[in-house]
Amino acid sequence: MPRGRTVLIEDVTTTGGSLLSTLGTLLELNVDVVAAIGITDRQERRDDGQTVSEAISALGASFGKTLSYFSMSGAASLLPALVKRKMPSEKIMRSIEDEFLQYGIQALSLR
């Protein structure tokens, strides 16, 4: 069981389901969780319409805590950099932009 201030780290965050489940368990066990970090955030909107950061804040609030979520990198910055290096077809770029428009937390422009 973690003791002291605890930060939860996840490799890839999509909708935060696993992260939220683990955070909930730790909070129920009175672990002093102070933050969560995603190494790469895919930046997808959850089914409830919230971002991962919003959902984590809400979970913390339900336990009377302030919880923050930080991502070290995100799809909105990684994908444009990848496009510059690999120069995919127009069709692929349009498909990625459409995917972000439907599921992402923000629109994405790769051109």
Side-chain angles (χ1 to χ4, degrees):
M1 185 66 55
R3 287 184 245 161
R5 295 168 50 108
T6 302
V7 175
L8 189 60
I9 300 174
E10 180 174 59
D11 55 355
V12 178
T13 304
T14 302
T15 60
S18 298
L19 193 58
L20 287 159
S21 176
T22 302
L23 282 169
T25 299
L26 292 172
L27 292 169
E28 287 172 2
L29 295 170
N30 293 315
V31 173
D32 185 17
V33 180
V34 296
I37 299 172
I39 295 173
T40 299
D41 187 345
R42 291 182 57 185
Q43 298 177 308
E44 289 188 17
R45 189 161 299 280
R46 299 167 37 82
D47 288 342
D48 60 10
Q50 293 183 311
T51 65
V52 172
S53 183
E54 292 166 343
I56 288 173
S57 291
L59 177 64
S62 73
F63 283 89
K65 294 187 60 80
T66 300
L67 283 181
S68 297
Y69 171 73
F70 304 96
S71 62
M72 296 176 70
S73 63
S77 60
L78 292 174
L79 288 170
L82 180 63
V83 164
K84 285 181 182 176
R85 291 187 69 190
K86 297 294 182 179
M87 297 192 290
S89 70
E90 184 69 25
K91 180 180 178 182
I92 289 173
M93 287 192 294
R94 189 172 34 259
S95 176
I96 293 169
E97 290 170 339
D98 290 346
E99 177 88 7
F100 254 76
L101 192 57
Q102 184 173 2
Y103 300 107
I105 62 171
Q106 65 190 46
L108 178 68
S109 177
L110 297 176
R111 291 176 204 89

